[in-house]
Amino acid sequence: MTPKPGTKRKRRGPSVRRPDAAATGFAGRTYDALREAYPNAKCALHFRSPFELLVATILSAQCTDARVNMLTPALFAAYPTPAAMAAAPVEALESLIHSAGFFHNKAKSILGASKRLIEVYGGEVPSAMDDLLTLPGVARKTANVVRGTIWGLAEGVVVDTHVQRLSGRLGWSRGKNPVEIERELMALFPKEIWIDLAHVLTHHGRRICSARKPRCADCPIHTSCPSSVA
C-alpha cells in the first residue's frame, strides 16, 4: 500500500530467511566452541552510563576500541553529561577526539546527538530502536550496541569489521555489506544469542582470526573452519 504524501516510512530491520538445518547445526556448534573459548566476551568500550556508551560507539566508527578507550576519559571529564556535551565548543571537542579519526564529522554527530537528547528525550538515552535512529551519527550498528549492552535488547546483530570478516570465513554469510550479513546471521542464530554472538566473534577476531595473518594453528575451531590453513 502506498503511504499518504508526507507520511514517513517506519524504519525496519533486515528481513530474515531461514537457512537449512545443516547450516544451522554447524553454526550452532561453532558458536558453542567459541563461547567456551571466550566465556567473558563483552563490549570492549569503557563506559559508565548509556550516554558514555553512545558517544564511545559513535567514536569507534573506523577506529579501534582501544584508541577510543584512551581518549574518552578526558572527553567525559570535560563534558560528562548530554547538557555539557551539547554546550561544548566544537573546536574543543574536535581537539579531544582528534585521534579517533574523522573528527569533524564525529564532533558534529556527538553535538547533534547530545542536543537532541536534551530537546526530545529529557537528557536520557532512549531504548527504542526507532528513537535511537533519530540521533545524529547513530545507525543500526550503534543502536544495536547501545541497546544490547545497556538493556539486553536484541533487534539485530552488531556487524563490525571482525563480525563481517569471520562470518565470511566461517561460511555463515555471503553478504557483501553489513545489512546483508546481519540478515543472514539473524536467520542462522536464535535471537537470544544475537548480542553475545557479536561479542564472541569480535573477541576471536582480535585475538586469533586477524585480517592479515590469522593464527589458524591456535584457533579452537580450526578443524571445522572451511577457511583454516592449519
Side-chain angles (χ1 to χ4, degrees):
M1 183 175 67
T2 303
K4 296 179 180 179
T7 300
K8 187 176 181 180
R9 291 181 180 274
K10 185 177 180 180
R11 305 186 189 199
R12 297 184 181 275
S15 59
V16 176
R17 185 173 62 184
R18 289 294 165 192
D20 60 42
T24 301
F26 166 72
R29 291 190 298 274
T30 308
Y31 163 78
D32 288 342
L34 289 174
R35 165 41 66 193
E36 184 176 354
Y38 308 108
N40 299 315
K42 62 181 181 179
C43 179
L45 293 169
H46 297 168
F47 64 94
R48 298 169 298 180
S49 68
F51 174 66
E52 288 191 358
L53 179 59
L54 174 68
V55 172
T57 308
I58 292 173
L59 288 171
S60 71
Q62 300 186 55
C63 178
T64 66
D65 290 349
R67 170 60 60 182
V68 173
N69 289 338
M70 289 175 63
L71 64 87
T72 48
L75 175 65
F76 295 136
Y79 309 110
T81 64
M85 192 73 77
V90 66
E91 296 83 4
L93 180 55
E94 288 179 347
S95 178
L96 286 167
I97 68 172
H98 187 278
S99 64
F102 302 96
F103 59 92
H104 291 305
N105 288 337
K106 290 180 180 180
K108 182 179 178 181
S109 294
I110 291 169
L111 288 172
S114 298
K115 290 175 181 178
R116 183 164 178 81
L117 289 177
I118 295 299
E119 295 169 358
V120 180
Y121 299 106
E124 300 293 330
V125 176
S127 61
M129 174 67 79
D130 286 346
D131 289 331
L132 285 167
L133 292 176
T134 68
L135 302 177
V138 176
R140 277 190 65 84
K141 174 188 168 184
T142 298
N144 277 328
V145 169
V146 173
R147 297 181 83 241
T149 303
I150 297 296
W151 297 289
L153 300 173
E155 193 163 322
V157 178
V158 174
V159 179
D160 63 7
T161 57
H162 300 288
V163 173
Q164 183 166 348
R165 179 175 69 255
L166 269 66
S167 62
R169 286 179 176 173
L170 289 167
W172 292 351
S173 169
R174 296 181 180 178
K176 303 300 182 183
N177 59 62
V179 173
E180 293 177 356
I181 293 167
E182 182 184 12
R183 181 186 301 120
E184 291 175 304
L185 293 177
M186 289 168 66
L188 199 55
F189 294 94
K191 186 174 183 178
E192 57 265 25
I193 69 168
W194 287 353
I195 296 170
D196 192 58
L197 175 66
H199 294 325
V200 169
L201 290 180
T202 296
H203 273 63
H204 187 56
R206 289 195 180 111
R207 287 158 176 76
I208 301 292
C209 198
S210 62
R212 294 184 179 180
K213 194 175 181 180
R215 293 164 37 219
C216 294
D218 299 323
C219 177
I221 57 170
H222 75 87
T223 56
S224 59
C225 176
S227 300
S228 176
V229 296

